Amino acid sequence: MTTGPIIFAFGLAVLAWVLIVGDLLRRHRPAWHWYLAGYPVTAWRVLFTWRKVAMLNDLSVSRRPPRGLLGDLVVKGDPVRPVAPRASFPRATRLGLTVTVRLHAGQTPSTYMKAADALAHAWRVHAVRVTSPERGLVLLTATGSDPLERPGLATAPTELLSALIGALETGGAWVINLRLVPHWLIAGATRSGKSTLLARLITQLAPQPVALVGVDCKGGMELGLFAGRLSALATCRREAVAVLSALVVDMQDRMSACRSAGVRSIWELPDKLRPIPVVVIIDEIAELYLSDGTRESKAEAEQCSTLLLRLAQLGAALGLHLVVAGQRVGSDLGPGVTALRAQLGGRICHRVNDPGTAEMTLGDLNKDAVAVAQSITAEERGVAVCTGPDGGWSRARSHLTPTDEAVATARKYSGMTPQLPAVDRALAALEGDDK
């Protein structure tokens, strides 16, 4: 008589335990939760709905032509018995799944791109992205939930000149690796997340044996917060010219060292002879290129343009890296900006105020990336479109690093700040001239 209530209570306890554990997994171990609960259900839904979705979105093709002869008349109509494209079994990824589809003769990936939203709704996933890895195939990548909501959950191994910035829309880690992509261009309007990204980058590089050089011509308001970890900080264009000139001289010394050793980069030198890598972080590139019309101002702008271009062209193999950021990046700043842009292989575009900046940042790489960057809203702070080392692009979001945390990290590792004698001498000489 009492067995029924006991079984019922036990069942409720088990259900409550499953719900609690499931909620904990979803919050703290989203990948585990996806593999155990999300993927099996979504994979079944993909297999169950594929034929119907393909028919409703014009992905299916009939083996019979849409036109036929009826006596002396040509009759046109919808073909009967359409055949859905052949799709592979859904393969699980960390926070989603992938399906490879073989195109029918005459089909193009653009048809599948138009159907991406329909696929996402049918499969009840966050988004579906369409790419074509090779001719005749389409890769559908479904993301179960939005990984950009909590980018701080991403992890990546620590490497020299590598910084974990946040998370990609695929659920993977967003990493800026200066060894793979030596120079970066970052564009973003005010309150788009650009400054947060720079703070995150400095926080990640601070514990590493690298020299950080800041160029902030807004009086050092942004990068001055991390002065304890910076080997040098230029707060005006005149100081920027001095710092960049000294770095070009140092670059020539590194060339001589490599030539004497018979190697083509500093990474082939013995550890004892290898000079320390230098990362130059420039906040608001427009301040270096804009001129007020005076001869002195024009001369300084031309010097900055020439020096930056030399560092970008020759610095990668010599351990000199550029990270250039700005609210507005356009050809109106001068031809030097366009030439510099061509040398900055890494691109990051946050929300921008004008289409020209998005085009300047991503247009020479992928037109689709420009459209996606322009769709970023003001509420999506920290969201950006970034390029990867393979030449592709992805939506990403930087991990929110509070200013006080970034400043504390810079102070903690201030003892690791290396000296750059050539830069120190240049700034000292500039101060002597002012006196």
Side-chain angles (χ1 to χ4, degrees):
M1 297 292 295
T2 60
T3 305
I6 294 176
I7 295 177
F8 181 73
F10 179 76
L12 288 179
V14 172
L15 179 61
W17 182 82
V18 170
L19 292 176
I20 293 174
V21 172
D23 183 64
L24 290 174
L25 281 177
R26 183 169 55 252
R27 285 187 296 168
H28 301 288
R29 292 291 187 271
W32 293 6
H33 182 268
W34 168 253
Y35 285 126
L36 293 175
Y39 167 71
V41 175
T42 306
W44 175 86
R45 196 176 289 129
V46 170
L47 297 174
F48 182 75
T49 63
W50 173 245
R51 179 178 173 80
K52 186 175 182 179
V53 173
M55 291 179 61
L56 292 176
N57 290 274
D58 298 327
L59 303 180
S60 298
V61 176
S62 176
R63 292 191 174 94
R64 301 189 65 180
R67 292 181 178 86
L69 287 176
L70 183 60
D72 296 332
L73 297 177
V74 176
V75 181
K76 180 180 179 181
D78 293 331
V80 296
R81 295 182 181 179
V83 179
R86 189 170 62 185
S88 68
F89 188 85
R91 175 181 294 181
T93 60
R94 188 174 180 272
L95 289 176
L97 55 82
T98 60
V99 178
T100 302
V101 180
R102 186 168 296 279
L103 299 177
H104 285 303
Q107 283 189 321
T108 62
S110 60
T111 309
Y112 291 79
M113 292 179 183
K114 294 177 182 178
D117 287 341
L119 293 171
H121 284 284
W123 299 346
R124 299 180 187 179
V125 295
H126 171 69
V128 173
R129 184 177 178 185
V130 180
T131 56
S132 180
E134 61 180 89
R135 298 291 185 182
L137 293 180
V138 160
L139 180 66
L140 305 178
T141 304
T143 306
S145 59
D146 188 1
L148 304 187
E149 290 183 356
R150 293 193 294 170
L153 293 177
T155 59
T158 303
E159 298 179 18
L160 180 63
L161 290 173
S162 180
L164 173 61
I165 300 300
L168 300 172
E169 66 175 348
T170 59
W174 181 15
V175 176
I176 292 181
N177 191 330
L178 296 174
R179 291 289 302 274
L180 295 178
V181 184
H183 308 305
W184 287 79
L185 173 62
I186 305 171
T190 302
R191 302 189 65 81
S192 65
K194 174 170 57 65
S195 298
T196 302
L197 188 149
L198 292 179
R200 177 67 178 178
L201 177 64
I202 293 174
T203 301
Q204 290 285 293
L205 294 178
Q208 302 182 25
V210 300
L212 303 177
V213 175
V215 177
D216 183 0
C217 292
K218 295 183 295 183
M221 290 190 302
E222 295 288 345
L223 300 183
L225 299 173
F226 318 108
R229 183 57 182 87
L230 299 179
S231 297
L233 175 63
T235 59
C236 64
R237 187 161 56 188
R238 190 181 177 200
E239 292 180 354
V241 171
V243 169
L244 295 175
S245 299
L247 289 175
V248 169
V249 173
D250 181 60
M251 181 177 66
Q252 293 171 344
D253 294 339
R254 297 180 181 216
M255 287 182 187
S256 300
C258 290
R259 185 172 61 250
S260 300
V263 298
R264 293 182 294 179
S265 75
I266 65 167
W267 306 109
E268 299 177 23
L269 292 171
D271 293 343
K272 294 182 179 180
L273 299 179
R274 182 182 304 137
I276 192 164
V278 179
V279 181
V280 182
I281 302 173
I282 301 173
D283 190 24
E284 200 48 64
I285 184 65
E287 294 296 325
L288 297 181
Y289 283 85
L290 291 177
S291 170
D292 59 9
T294 62
R295 180 179 300 177
E296 182 180 1
S297 178
K298 289 181 179 180
E300 287 180 350
E302 290 177 359
Q303 281 183 288
C304 286
S305 176
T306 302
L307 294 170
L308 283 174
L309 188 57
R310 292 200 65 189
L311 288 173
Q313 288 176 331
L314 305 174
L318 301 171
L320 295 170
H321 306 275
L322 292 179
V323 178
V324 179
Q327 297 182 37
R328 172 79 177 93
V329 182
S331 57
D332 58 313
L333 297 179
V337 173
T338 305
L340 178 64
R341 189 268 310 255
Q343 301 296 327
L344 307 178
R347 310 288 177 82
I348 300 172
C349 186
H350 294 85
R351 176 182 58 83
V352 292
N353 293 327
D354 62 295
T357 298
E359 181 71 28
M360 186 74 169
T361 308
L362 301 169
D364 60 329
L365 300 180
N366 193 293
K367 297 297 182 182
D368 294 335
V370 176
V372 173
Q374 290 180 277
S375 68
I376 299 174
T377 64
E379 289 74 23
E380 297 177 297
R381 188 175 181 183
V383 175
V385 174
C386 68
T387 58
D390 58 350
W393 62 273
S394 176
R395 288 178 80 248
R397 190 169 199 167
S398 56
H399 175 62
L400 178 59
T401 303
T403 302
D404 54 352
E405 178 184 334
V407 172
T409 302
R411 290 175 179 171
K412 178 181 179 181
Y413 295 101
S414 59
M416 295 181 59
T417 305
Q419 296 295 318
L420 298 176
V423 176
D424 294 338
R425 288 193 297 268
L427 290 176
L430 195 61
E431 293 178 1
D433 292 341
D434 291 338
K435 295 180 180 179

